[in-house]
Amino acid sequence: APPVSKSRQKTPPVRVRFEGAQFSWHSLAHVNREIGTRLIAMPGLEVALIPTEKPFFVPSEVTGGEVLASRCFVGLSAPADAHIRHFFPPRFEKPEEGKLVLIQPWEYGYLPEVWIEPIQKNVAEVWCYSKYVRDVYLNSGISEEKVKVVPLGVDTTIFHPSAPPFVFTQEPGTTLLPKGLEGRFCFLFVGGTLHRKGIDILLDAYLRAFSAYDDVCLVIKDTGTKTVYRGQNEQERILDLMEDSTRPHILYIEEDLSPHQLAGIYTASDCLVQPYRGEG
């Protein structure tokens, strides 16, 4: 048989291991699902996922979850070319296979000093959510050729302006307290109620601007109240304000929501307010 020309030879896939939480509701796992879904769908890639946390829900509860589950802890056809890590706290040691790609947002202006040497020594690339995070790495002395901006993905089949609005109803055992949202102008805050995310700025401004007589509501979708942000948030202050009938209306949600429910929180509200002091 005649030899196959180089142009017709099949290019071997790029083999990738991706390490990080998948089936949790927190933001890093959400990011991992979006990145993982797109990596798996890309032609020329062979992907193996390494979940770093126990699952908090079954994969079928999220779009594409069963596909992600099918790639968890699978073997690759050959040693990995790249090993991506995205979890906290980060690990910087070199993997057994492949070049190390680090995804680690940092909001505080400069990286911790103890991170800099191992990143320079062991990490092939840093993928940053945004230009702001890139600048944090560059300002900390990380080599410019290592640092790339890889914006976060979004599933536009779920998050779009026509997503069905979330229905705020009283449910036993929850902190969903509607008290008549119909006709109110709703402001929305999504995220951990932390100093870094400016929740104190928002609450102070809201209390100055409005009173109990105004048809407004501040919807606060908190996160990590029982895990990563436990004991360091403004939950107690928020709940006290909700009990004060002289204050403008606040609706507080700490329960985990599915992506479809979260999309509905946005479309059910009128104005997004995110006064972050620092955010990746």
Side-chain angles (χ1 to χ4, degrees):
V4 178
S5 67
K6 290 185 179 181
S7 61
R8 295 177 58 190
Q9 289 177 354
K10 186 175 181 180
T11 303
V14 175
R15 300 171 184 89
V16 177
R17 295 194 189 279
F18 185 15
E19 191 178 359
Q22 288 289 337
F23 305 112
S24 301
W25 291 123
H26 59 70
S27 57
L28 297 190
H30 191 141
V31 171
N32 289 343
R33 288 194 294 275
E34 297 296 339
I35 293 176
T37 297
R38 278 142 185 84
L39 288 176
I40 291 169
M42 289 180 66
L45 290 188
E46 183 184 349
V47 180
L49 303 178
I50 308 174
T52 54
E53 296 179 8
K54 67 178 182 180
F56 281 79
F57 57 86
V58 297
S60 59
E61 289 188 47
V62 294
T63 302
E66 291 168 321
V67 173
L68 292 167
S70 72
R71 301 306 302 169
C72 289
F73 301 113
V74 299
L76 296 173
S77 59
D81 300 293
H83 188 114
I84 304 170
R85 288 188 184 138
H86 183 221
F87 51 82
F88 194 85
R91 286 184 16 240
F92 306 114
E93 68 269 19
K94 288 185 177 181
E96 294 182 2
E97 302 172 3
K99 294 181 178 180
L100 177 57
V101 176
L102 176 69
I103 308 176
Q104 179 52 65
W106 195 251
E107 292 87 5
Y108 298 100
Y110 295 90
L111 299 175
E113 289 186 5
V114 295
W115 290 11
I116 296 173
E117 183 179 351
I119 290 175
Q120 288 283 57
K121 181 180 178 182
N122 299 331
V123 175
E125 283 191 357
V126 180
W127 291 357
C128 300
Y129 292 170
S130 61
K131 184 178 181 297
Y132 173 73
V133 176
R134 179 180 183 270
D135 289 344
V136 169
Y137 277 81
L138 296 182
N139 292 341
S140 302
I142 303 303
S143 303
E144 186 173 1
E145 62 270 15
K146 287 182 182 285
V147 186
K148 314 294 181 182
V149 176
V150 180
L152 297 179
V154 58
D155 187 343
T156 55
T157 65
I158 297 175
F159 291 91
H160 55 84
S162 300
F166 188 85
V167 178
F168 300 105
T169 57
Q170 183 73 56
E171 298 178 13
T174 75
T175 52
L176 297 181
L177 303 173
K179 299 180 182 176
L181 287 184
E182 190 68 32
R184 294 181 182 271
F185 187 96
C186 289
F187 299 95
L188 173 65
F189 173 92
V190 179
T193 53
L194 311 175
H195 179 81
R196 174 170 64 80
K197 296 178 183 285
I199 186 64
D200 56 315
I201 299 173
L202 174 56
L203 291 173
D204 292 344
Y206 183 64
L207 297 176
R208 285 197 305 269
F210 301 107
S211 73
Y213 297 100
D214 293 302
D215 288 332
V216 296
C217 178
L218 173 59
V219 179
I220 298 174
K221 170 60 184 85
D222 206 346
T223 187
T225 59
K226 297 179 178 64
T227 53
V228 290
Y229 298 145
R230 187 178 192 176
Q232 54 180 307
N233 57 29
E234 291 290 334
Q235 183 183 59
E236 185 175 345
R237 181 190 179 192
I238 294 167
L239 295 178
D240 286 344
L241 288 171
M242 291 173 62
E243 294 297 319
D244 187 344
S245 61
T246 68
R247 298 296 193 175
H249 192 83
I250 296 175
L251 188 151
Y252 178 72
I253 305 169
E254 67 167 319
E255 290 73 33
D256 292 326
L257 300 179
S258 71
H260 287 281
Q261 291 174 316
L262 188 57
I265 291 287
Y266 286 95
T267 52
S269 303
D270 299 294
C271 179
L272 184 68
V273 282
Q274 303 280 188
Y276 289 0
R277 289 184 168 92
E279 185 56 79

